[in-house]
Amino acid sequence: MLTSFRRLTLGALVLLAPAGAATAQTATSKIDSVVIRKIYDEALARGQSYENLRYLTTRIGGRLSGSPQAEQAVQWGKTVMEKMGLDRVYLQEVMVPHWVRGAKEKAQVKSSKGKALNLNVCALGGSVGTNGKLKAQVVEVQSLQELAGLPAEKVKGKIVFFNRPMNPLYIETGRAYGEAGDQRRSGAIEAAKRGAVGALVRSLSLAHDDFPHTGTMSYNDQVAKVPAAAVSTNGADELSHLLRADPGLTVELEMSCQQLPEVKSYNVVGEIKGSKYPDEIITVGGHLDSWDLAQGAHDDGTGCTQSMEVLRLLKATGLRPERTIRAVLFMNEENGVRGGNKYAELAKAAGEKHLAAMESDGGGFTPRGFNIEADPATVRKVQQWQPLFVPYGSAEFSAGHAGTDIGPLKSQAKALIGYECDSQRYFDIHHTAADTFDKVNRRELELGGASMAALVYLLSKYGL
């Protein structure tokens, strides 16, 4: 209870609360602002996200599901959370796909006059190999719809080149990524339906560079499985230019990737039991797996270390949450979502009550706010806390998609919440060999973990 002109001081923050002048709501808000400042101070002065990320990315590296590195990451995550002194740390068994890339992919453009040009390509995740070298002419399209409208003789026996770029006019780059992603996900299926022998897809990036972007693709068991590769944006522009001058050119593609039998892996879970409502659960998580081309730093090592940091920040600042808080390092988001599905399945089987689930899977850049996936009344309730986040630049609270791994909890949780950070640079490195530790800024990363911890604190205190 606040007394006359009692000073609530934390670092440089001083709040004055004259007796009888503030409403209960204002007093509560001021108390919360002090607590949140304490969380941010701890994160900025003694945050552990960055050093945890350093180990995960530089000592373990890329963590494709089923790989030895993914197995090492599971044990690492379990050890880190055990050292935090949490109430419980455990593993959830889950079977995951085991796709391997094999030797570095090769591609050459060969003109009808015999000239050759190398292309920077990489196999899309889940693709079959070429079984040696695949050589064919190329037909360029901008969309699945354009492909469907072409005469059969224009496509049969050729490699379909999907060259629709991400729309640069959207301020929210995730929207552009989502719109352009159908050609990566379904391009091989639609190409094979028309008799094509392979698919090349323009990398999903707004940058113009020589990095090909991998990512998951799919097959239909009723349709022939043809190889699918991404080509860098510079390579895509060059190939398109060459095709206009020489429609008869060919592309020679060589990939040795293959799908192996599924293997056993795990979600890693750590939790702090709630002091008042232990049966109400707030989950916060990121995905532990990554693609294999680099270290999986922004995607999604940052989300994992931030999620673990939420628990550490609560403990370090002496905040015993009223509701149970779980950090989950999900396995297999990139090519199957097996970890997210298993977590939701086990939660439902146990009759658990999830108040909310939060996900960080957009990189470790400057915090902006949160997307809230819930009914309108719940969205408005969360938005009431926006003023508390204004001093930290993370007050954009909007209705919207929350995340892939927590998606399976939609029918079980009152709200799904996606942590949002600045997205302008994310798709420059997403799913590429450039997704390395040196691209992550320590201060931005620690601010993100603090933003997540602050909202978790409010959810735990007030519920929904």
Short mmCIF file of all heavy atoms in Angstrom, two decimals, residues 22 97 117 130 132 135 174 201 244 247 299 308 310 337 354 356 369 380 398 403 409 427-428 445 449:
data_model
loop_
_atom_site.label_atom_id
_atom_site.label_comp_id
_atom_site.label_asym_id
_atom_site.label_seq_id
_atom_site.Cartn_x
_atom_site.Cartn_y
_atom_site.Cartn_z
N ALA A 22 -4.27 9.25 -6.27
CA ALA A 22 -4.33 8.30 -7.37
C ALA A 22 -5.44 7.30 -7.15
O ALA A 22 -5.73 6.91 -6.03
CB ALA A 22 -3.00 7.56 -7.50
N PRO A 97 11.05 -35.75 -38.75
CA PRO A 97 11.63 -36.11 -40.05
C PRO A 97 13.16 -35.98 -40.02
O PRO A 97 13.71 -35.20 -39.22
CB PRO A 97 11.03 -35.07 -41.01
CG PRO A 97 9.89 -34.45 -40.27
CD PRO A 97 10.22 -34.55 -38.82
N LEU A 117 27.02 -20.57 -67.27
CA LEU A 117 27.03 -19.65 -66.14
C LEU A 117 26.58 -20.40 -64.90
O LEU A 117 25.54 -21.07 -64.91
CB LEU A 117 26.06 -18.48 -66.40
CG LEU A 117 25.80 -17.54 -65.23
CD1 LEU A 117 27.03 -16.67 -64.96
CD2 LEU A 117 24.58 -16.66 -65.50
N THR A 130 18.52 -35.30 -57.47
CA THR A 130 18.42 -35.37 -58.93
C THR A 130 18.90 -36.71 -59.49
O THR A 130 18.77 -36.95 -60.69
CB THR A 130 19.25 -34.24 -59.56
OG1 THR A 130 20.60 -34.33 -59.08
CG2 THR A 130 18.67 -32.88 -59.22
N GLY A 132 21.99 -37.91 -59.92
CA GLY A 132 22.96 -37.55 -60.95
C GLY A 132 22.72 -36.12 -61.38
O GLY A 132 22.39 -35.26 -60.58
N LYS A 135 19.20 -32.24 -66.54
CA LYS A 135 19.38 -31.18 -67.52
C LYS A 135 18.11 -31.02 -68.33
O LYS A 135 17.59 -31.99 -68.87
CB LYS A 135 20.56 -31.50 -68.45
CG LYS A 135 20.90 -30.38 -69.44
CD LYS A 135 22.14 -30.73 -70.24
CE LYS A 135 22.50 -29.60 -71.21
NZ LYS A 135 23.72 -29.91 -72.00
N GLY A 174 6.66 -9.70 -43.36
CA GLY A 174 6.08 -11.03 -43.22
C GLY A 174 4.90 -11.25 -44.14
O GLY A 174 4.64 -12.37 -44.60
N VAL A 201 12.94 -22.05 -57.71
CA VAL A 201 12.12 -21.03 -57.07
C VAL A 201 13.00 -19.85 -56.67
O VAL A 201 14.05 -20.03 -56.05
CB VAL A 201 11.41 -21.59 -55.81
CG1 VAL A 201 10.53 -20.53 -55.17
CG2 VAL A 201 10.58 -22.83 -56.17
N ARG A 244 15.15 -14.37 -71.76
CA ARG A 244 14.55 -13.46 -72.74
C ARG A 244 15.40 -13.43 -74.02
O ARG A 244 14.86 -13.33 -75.13
CB ARG A 244 14.41 -12.06 -72.15
CG ARG A 244 13.29 -11.94 -71.12
CD ARG A 244 12.98 -10.50 -70.80
NE ARG A 244 14.06 -9.81 -70.11
CZ ARG A 244 14.24 -9.81 -68.80
NH1 ARG A 244 13.38 -10.48 -68.02
NH2 ARG A 244 15.25 -9.16 -68.26
N PRO A 247 15.53 -18.29 -75.28
CA PRO A 247 14.49 -19.15 -74.70
C PRO A 247 14.83 -20.63 -74.72
O PRO A 247 14.24 -21.41 -73.97
CB PRO A 247 13.27 -18.85 -75.58
CG PRO A 247 13.55 -17.51 -76.19
CD PRO A 247 15.02 -17.47 -76.40
N ASP A 299 16.93 -17.34 -36.62
CA ASP A 299 15.84 -18.30 -36.85
C ASP A 299 16.28 -19.70 -36.40
O ASP A 299 16.78 -20.46 -37.19
CB ASP A 299 15.47 -18.30 -38.33
CG ASP A 299 14.23 -19.13 -38.63
OD1 ASP A 299 13.43 -19.35 -37.71
OD2 ASP A 299 14.08 -19.57 -39.79
N MET A 308 13.93 -18.77 -22.63
CA MET A 308 14.57 -19.19 -21.39
C MET A 308 14.86 -17.99 -20.49
O MET A 308 14.75 -18.06 -19.27
CB MET A 308 15.87 -19.95 -21.70
CG MET A 308 15.65 -21.27 -22.41
SD MET A 308 17.15 -22.29 -22.51
CE MET A 308 18.21 -21.27 -23.51
N VAL A 310 13.11 -15.35 -20.15
CA VAL A 310 11.90 -14.93 -19.44
C VAL A 310 11.88 -15.55 -18.04
O VAL A 310 11.63 -14.86 -17.04
CB VAL A 310 10.64 -15.33 -20.23
CG1 VAL A 310 9.38 -15.18 -19.37
CG2 VAL A 310 10.50 -14.48 -21.49
N VAL A 337 6.57 -29.21 -37.80
CA VAL A 337 5.83 -28.73 -36.61
C VAL A 337 5.48 -29.91 -35.70
O VAL A 337 4.46 -29.89 -35.01
CB VAL A 337 4.55 -27.95 -37.01
CG1 VAL A 337 4.08 -27.08 -35.84
CG2 VAL A 337 4.81 -27.06 -38.21
N HIS A 354 -4.45 -23.88 -20.41
CA HIS A 354 -3.52 -22.86 -20.88
C HIS A 354 -4.21 -21.50 -20.94
O HIS A 354 -5.18 -21.32 -21.68
CB HIS A 354 -2.98 -23.23 -22.26
CG HIS A 354 -1.72 -24.03 -22.22
ND1 HIS A 354 -1.70 -25.36 -21.93
CD2 HIS A 354 -0.43 -23.66 -22.40
CE1 HIS A 354 -0.45 -25.80 -21.95
NE2 HIS A 354 0.34 -24.78 -22.23
N ALA A 356 -2.47 -18.66 -21.77
CA ALA A 356 -1.90 -18.00 -22.94
C ALA A 356 -0.64 -18.73 -23.37
O ALA A 356 -0.01 -19.44 -22.58
CB ALA A 356 -1.58 -16.54 -22.64
N GLY A 369 6.55 -4.96 -30.38
CA GLY A 369 5.31 -5.23 -29.66
C GLY A 369 4.88 -6.67 -29.80
O GLY A 369 5.72 -7.58 -29.85
N ARG A 380 -8.58 -6.68 -26.59
CA ARG A 380 -8.70 -5.36 -25.95
C ARG A 380 -8.12 -5.37 -24.54
O ARG A 380 -7.49 -4.40 -24.11
CB ARG A 380 -10.16 -4.91 -25.92
CG ARG A 380 -10.71 -4.51 -27.29
CD ARG A 380 -12.03 -3.80 -27.16
NE ARG A 380 -13.07 -4.65 -26.61
CZ ARG A 380 -13.87 -5.44 -27.34
NH1 ARG A 380 -13.73 -5.48 -28.66
NH2 ARG A 380 -14.80 -6.18 -26.76
N SER A 398 -1.31 -5.57 -31.58
CA SER A 398 -2.28 -5.69 -32.67
C SER A 398 -2.87 -7.09 -32.72
O SER A 398 -2.21 -8.06 -32.32
CB SER A 398 -1.61 -5.39 -34.01
OG SER A 398 -0.97 -4.13 -34.00
N GLY A 403 1.96 -17.37 -34.19
CA GLY A 403 3.13 -18.22 -34.39
C GLY A 403 2.75 -19.64 -34.77
O GLY A 403 1.63 -20.09 -34.52
N LEU A 409 -2.22 -24.94 -30.12
CA LEU A 409 -2.87 -24.69 -28.83
C LEU A 409 -4.10 -23.79 -28.96
O LEU A 409 -4.72 -23.45 -27.96
CB LEU A 409 -1.88 -24.01 -27.87
CG LEU A 409 -0.79 -24.89 -27.24
CD1 LEU A 409 0.23 -23.99 -26.54
CD2 LEU A 409 -1.39 -25.88 -26.26
N PHE A 427 14.30 -11.05 -43.50
CA PHE A 427 14.28 -11.92 -44.67
C PHE A 427 15.50 -11.76 -45.57
O PHE A 427 15.62 -12.46 -46.58
CB PHE A 427 12.97 -11.72 -45.45
CG PHE A 427 11.78 -12.23 -44.68
CD1 PHE A 427 10.92 -11.34 -44.05
CD2 PHE A 427 11.56 -13.58 -44.53
CE1 PHE A 427 9.84 -11.80 -43.32
CE2 PHE A 427 10.49 -14.06 -43.78
CZ PHE A 427 9.63 -13.16 -43.18
N ASP A 428 16.41 -10.86 -45.19
CA ASP A 428 17.70 -10.82 -45.89
C ASP A 428 18.53 -12.06 -45.54
O ASP A 428 19.34 -12.51 -46.37
CB ASP A 428 18.50 -9.58 -45.49
CG ASP A 428 17.87 -8.29 -45.98
OD1 ASP A 428 16.82 -8.34 -46.64
OD2 ASP A 428 18.44 -7.22 -45.69
N LEU A 445 18.61 -7.99 -28.63
CA LEU A 445 18.18 -9.32 -28.18
C LEU A 445 17.71 -9.27 -26.73
O LEU A 445 16.64 -9.82 -26.39
CB LEU A 445 19.34 -10.30 -28.32
CG LEU A 445 19.04 -11.74 -27.90
CD1 LEU A 445 18.02 -12.38 -28.82
CD2 LEU A 445 20.33 -12.57 -27.88
N GLY A 449 13.87 -10.06 -24.89
CA GLY A 449 13.56 -10.96 -23.78
C GLY A 449 12.87 -10.23 -22.65
O GLY A 449 11.95 -10.76 -22.01
#
